[in-house]
Amino acid sequence: MNILLWHVHGSWTTAFVQGPHTYLVPVTPDRGPDGLGRARTFSWPASVREVTPEELREAEVDLVVLQRPHEQELAERRLGGRRPGRDVPAVYLEHNAPDGDVPDTRHPCADRDDLTLVHVTHFNRLFWDCGSTRTEVIEHGVVDPGHQYTGRLARAAVVVNEPVRRGRYTGTDLLPALSEAAPLDVFGMRTEGLAAHLGLPEDRCRTADLPQSELHGALAQRRLYLHPVRWTSLGLSLLEAMQLGMPVVALATTEAIEAVPPGAGVLSTRPEVLARAARRYLENPRAAAEDGARARQAALERYGLKRFLADWERVMTEACS
């Protein structure tokens, strides 16, 4: 099939485009949010083709994967009036947990009979009000980075984008107390200035923004993966850390309790429990490695690429029939 989707979520798309189809990714001269084109920091196969708005108008499209509310109108305009869900088969992929008026948040695609709404976690489907729209859950799939864990650095790795702006959502306010238990290395976009914002010494809260090819190796050198996020969908960085062989210390919120089984790390809604777990891993590298090995096995079994692509093949085939 020729599948049209916008480059919205690089990590998720990296897994999705490993399938057997041709993936049409819009590109504009400014490479803005509605025309990013191919990823520059992720490895995508040649089956991902950039298409300009002019090319898209005449392109043969078998399925549209919508990911943002405005893409319904955008796709219709770029496809020369062909309407996703009516004239072209469509699914709407919801990456995020609902925000605002939870748990009564209405989904933008609620009560539609012309498409399937796909959630990336069961938690998200539970909390979005989708009305009568047909819904599916296709849990994440991860391109296995391999068991790279060494844990040689007695530090905790955190991966989060824009921690200053997102604040309590990403648990940024919890980092000062957690940094007393373990020095932090925070990776992600727009993390610069985080230590000063939190009033922490630079050594207790270092930051870096690395491409994925470098990020995995850097994560694997840290003793543990810390996930202090209060409210989000299930971060792919958490699953990647597990597949690297890292033990997890995480808030027991949203989908984390499903992703991290007993023996793969420590989950709690009490930050002081997370702090004790981080100290334990710093003091006991063997326990960290053993729990990390169990984390890797759990992530491979539940979030493997083969299952992910098979689930998507089923849903897309149903949508097109």
Side-chain angles (χ1 to χ4, degrees), residues 242 246-250 260-267 277 280-281 291-292 294-295:
M242 292 173 68
M246 301 183 73
V248 172
V249 173
V260 186
V266 175
L267 296 177
R280 174 174 171 265
Y281 284 137
D291 286 4
R294 284 187 284 268

Side-chain angles (χ1 to χ4, degrees), residues 17-287:
V17 299
Q18 304 303 314
H21 306 289
T22 297
Y23 305 90
L24 307 178
V25 178
V27 64
T28 54
D30 64 351
R31 291 190 178 267
D34 290 335
L36 276 175
R38 285 178 57 93
R40 297 179 176 181
T41 59
F42 296 90
S43 179
W44 289 1
S47 56
V48 182
R49 289 178 39 211
E50 291 185 340
V51 288
T52 66
E54 295 74 24
E55 292 170 333
L56 193 53
R57 192 173 187 84
E58 303 298 330
E60 180 180 338
V61 175
D62 299 302
L63 176 73
V64 181
V65 178
L66 305 168
Q67 301 173 78
R68 297 168 296 176
H70 76 278
E71 287 182 6
Q72 175 74 29
E73 184 276 332
L74 178 64
E76 183 175 342
R77 179 158 39 90
R78 296 283 172 84
L79 289 171
R82 289 173 286 174
R83 297 168 298 172
R86 297 296 183 188
D87 304 310
V88 184
V91 299
Y92 189 103
L93 170 63
E94 181 52 72
H95 290 285
N96 301 314
D99 188 14
D101 200 28
V102 176
D104 296 321
T105 317
R106 287 279 287 179
H107 196 277
C109 290
D111 294 328
R112 288 187 60 170
D113 62 2
D114 59 345
L115 55 69
T116 299
L117 178 51
V118 179
H119 297 277
V120 297
T121 72
H122 292 276
F123 178 91
N124 289 3
R125 179 164 70 171
L126 179 67
F127 272 77
W128 276 109
D129 176 4
C130 301
S132 61
T133 304
R134 178 177 180 244
T135 62
E136 292 271 359
V137 176
I138 300 181
E139 295 188 315
H140 287 303
V142 177
V143 179
D144 182 13
H147 193 167
Q148 301 184 36
Y149 180 74
T150 66
R152 67 179 187 83
L153 299 177
R155 302 182 66 88
V158 182
V159 178
V160 61
N161 292 325
E162 301 186 76
V164 174
R165 180 184 67 82
R166 296 168 71 192
R168 287 178 57 84
Y169 278 79
T170 54
T172 304
D173 58 302
L174 303 176
L175 295 181
L178 291 169
S179 73
E180 295 177 7
L184 309 177
D185 288 331
V186 182
F187 300 93
M189 295 186 294
R190 289 180 282 281
T191 54
E192 61 276 2
L194 178 60
H197 173 75
L198 297 174
L200 293 174
E202 288 286 343
D203 185 60
R204 303 304 293 186
C205 184
R206 303 188 307 207
T207 62
D209 183 4
L210 302 177
Q212 189 188 47
S213 58
E214 298 177 25
L215 177 61
H216 288 158
L219 290 177
Q221 295 180 52
R222 275 66 188 175
R223 187 69 48 81
L224 66 130
Y225 185 82
L226 177 63
H227 188 69
V229 180
R230 279 192 181 89
W231 188 260
T232 186
S233 193
L234 182 60
L236 275 165
S237 56
L238 170 65
L239 305 180
E240 289 168 352
M242 292 173 68
Q243 288 197 358
L244 287 166
M246 301 183 73
V248 172
V249 173
L251 281 179
T253 56
T254 62
E255 190 79 357
I257 59 170
E258 289 282 333
V260 186
V266 175
L267 296 177
S268 178
T269 54
R270 298 166 57 187
E272 61 271 22
V273 173
L274 303 188
R276 287 199 297 270
R279 287 194 187 95
R280 174 174 171 265
Y281 284 137
L282 258 59
E283 295 167 358
N284 192 335
R286 180 175 178 178

